[in-house]
């Protein structure tokens, strides 16, 4: 799947049967659709419309260049996003970057090869090389419509990589790309526009339970405890507008909501484990409690994964 990077073959040949991700067979096809909406001067979002496996897409326009944030899953979505970006950007130079490597956020990048400068942080590139094939197979097993979008997927190498932080000068505005992982993934990246608009990727979901991708043995790199620390750092940035990976655009109250949820799950997991509860018992109890506390949130099945991630991160005695 990644002919340019044979030095790091995937050791994780996940199949749908061993990576127990939530079933999405009844969900609509994961297609990026609709017109970009301007959420701040020159900053546009193509909404996910609350469709599973569809992310919020960002398009940031400067005087002489434009930046796309995330691509959607597969080449068809990538081409749609590219067309929308070209329509807004005109003859400006295009850049594209990812909040993290997961399929619905970055597996449309091939549509941008040669049409835009592709920027990943170095950890994202490594994660894609190591896990991309496994995630492709796992996502293909979620539903036939998702499998169809992945049928012709091809991984591409970035044109530029960075470590730590990078700035992209679009002309009249500078966009900061910042590594903040490990949290949701090892290579999580935030995108901060004019210190005002924050693209948080799947560090944040709006009215959805946060996705903790704890899929042993194929991927156990989610760091739920550090995720809370990262959210504290995002609160300190005090952005006016917060664009989550999925769900509606919001303000910093969204960061606080997700932080409070993760802190609650972590505290309860530690308490129940100290009392001798098994991981299954803890997941059942905390899942029921969280479903009641956050009753307006969708996809409560993700609490089970978060509990397991916290449980196995606790020190053994």
């Amino acid at each position: 799947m990644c002919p340019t990077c044979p030095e790091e073959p995937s050791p994780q040949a996940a199949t749908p049967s061993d990576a127990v991700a939530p079933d999405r067979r009844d969900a609509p096809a994961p297609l990026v659709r609709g017109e970009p909406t301007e959420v701040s001067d020159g900053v546009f979002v193509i909404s996910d419309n609350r469709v599973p496996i569809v992310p919020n897409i960002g398009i940031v326009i400067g005087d002489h260049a434009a930046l796309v944030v995330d691509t959607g899953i597969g080449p068809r979505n990538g081409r749609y996003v590219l067309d929308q970006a070209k329509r807004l950007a005109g003859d400006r130079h295009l850049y594209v970057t990812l909040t993290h490597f997961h399929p619905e956020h970055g597996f449309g990048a091939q549509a941008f090869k040669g049409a835009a400068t592709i920027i990943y942080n170095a950890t994202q590139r490594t994660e894609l090389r190591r896990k991309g094939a496994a995630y492709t197979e796992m996502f293909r097993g979620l539903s036939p419509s998702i499998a169809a979008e992945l049928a012709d997927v091809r991984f591409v190498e970035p044109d530029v990589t960075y470590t730590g932080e990078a700035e992209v000068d679009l002309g009249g505005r500078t966009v900061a790309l910042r590594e903040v992982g490990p949290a949701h993934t090892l290579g999580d990246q935030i995108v901060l526009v004019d210190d005002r608009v924050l693209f948080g990727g799947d560090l944040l979901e709006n009215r959805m339970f946060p996705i903790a991708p704890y899929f042993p043995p194929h991927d156990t790199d989610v760091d739920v405890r550090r995720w809370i620390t990262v959210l504290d750092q995002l609160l300190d940035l005090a952005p006016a507008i917060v664009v989550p990976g999925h769900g509606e655009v919001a303000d910093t109250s969204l960061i606080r909501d997700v932080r409070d949820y993760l802190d609650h799950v972590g505290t309860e997991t530690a308490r129940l484990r100290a009392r001798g509860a098994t991981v299954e018992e803890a997941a059942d109890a905390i899942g029921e409690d969280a479903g009641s506390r956050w009753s307006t949130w969708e996809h409560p099945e993700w609490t089970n994964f978060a509990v397991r991630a916290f449980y196995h991160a606790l020190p053994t005695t």
Side-chain angles (χ1 to χ4, degrees), residues 22-309:
D23 190 288
R24 294 288 180 256
R25 292 182 182 276
D26 294 332
L31 299 179
V32 179
R33 287 291 178 262
E35 296 291 314
T37 298
E38 193 167 22
V39 299
S40 185
D41 182 33
V43 181
F44 297 81
V45 172
I46 305 176
S47 171
D48 69 336
N49 296 307
R50 300 193 73 82
V51 176
I53 319 297
V54 175
N56 289 317
I57 303 290
I59 303 173
V60 184
I61 307 296
D63 291 339
H64 59 67
L67 173 71
V68 175
V69 182
D70 288 343
T71 69
I73 189 168
R76 175 162 62 156
N77 281 311
R79 289 191 296 269
Y80 181 84
V81 173
L82 176 60
D83 287 346
Q84 293 296 317
K86 285 181 174 179
R87 184 172 63 82
L88 289 173
D91 60 359
R92 295 172 177 86
H93 182 80
L94 286 179
Y95 296 91
V96 63
T97 195
L98 309 179
T99 56
H100 58 298
F101 85 97
H102 281 164
E104 79 272 30
H105 293 267
F107 281 22
Q110 70 198 71
F112 290 83
K113 195 65 176 178
T117 300
I118 302 174
I119 307 173
Y120 300 163
N121 66 55
T123 305
Q124 285 176 340
R125 179 180 62 182
T126 299
E127 232 176 345
L128 179 63
R129 289 173 172 179
R130 185 162 61 90
K131 302 174 184 176
Y135 268 80
T136 300
E137 291 308 306
M138 181 172 66
F139 271 60
R140 280 175 177 158
L142 296 179
S143 78
S145 63
I146 295 170
E149 298 309 315
L150 290 169
D152 299 316
V153 75
R154 176 172 54 85
F155 300 153
V156 295
E157 287 287 279
D159 300 302
V160 177
T161 59
Y162 76 93
T163 57
E165 184 167 343
E167 289 189 346
V168 183
D169 181 6
L170 302 181
R173 66 178 2 136
T174 300
V175 180
L177 312 181
R178 188 175 303 166
E179 287 187 277
V180 294
H184 174 71
T185 66
L186 292 175
D188 288 319
Q189 171 184 272
I190 62 165
V191 178
L192 186 62
V193 183
D194 298 334
D195 292 323
R196 173 177 172 77
V197 182
L198 172 72
F199 289 88
D202 282 357
L203 295 167
L204 302 164
E205 320 284 358
N206 195 339
R207 292 191 297 115
M208 302 179 193
F209 287 88
I211 300 165
Y214 185 74
F215 302 137
H218 310 293
D219 192 352
T220 59
D221 289 330
V222 56
D223 190 334
V224 279
R225 291 185 295 182
R226 191 173 178 282
W227 191 338
I228 296 171
T229 300
V230 171
L231 294 176
D232 285 334
Q233 295 168 352
L234 300 188
L235 283 169
D236 289 341
L237 294 175
I241 297 169
V242 176
V243 184
H246 303 271
E248 294 77 17
V249 175
D251 57 25
T252 53
S253 64
L254 174 60
I255 303 174
R256 192 169 292 105
D257 288 346
V258 176
R259 188 226 181 270
D260 290 348
Y261 162 80
L262 289 173
D263 183 64
H264 174 77
V265 173
T267 300
E268 285 300 291
T269 301
R271 182 182 69 83
L272 290 174
R273 180 170 153 174
R275 294 178 60 181
T278 66
V279 65
E280 289 80 11
E281 291 167 341
D284 287 345
I286 296 170
E288 183 176 353
D289 173 58
S292 176
R293 286 174 180 261
W294 290 277
S295 60
T296 62
W297 291 12
E298 297 176 352
H299 309 306
E301 64 272 14
W302 283 113
T303 299
N304 184 298
F305 291 79
V307 171
R308 292 172 188 275

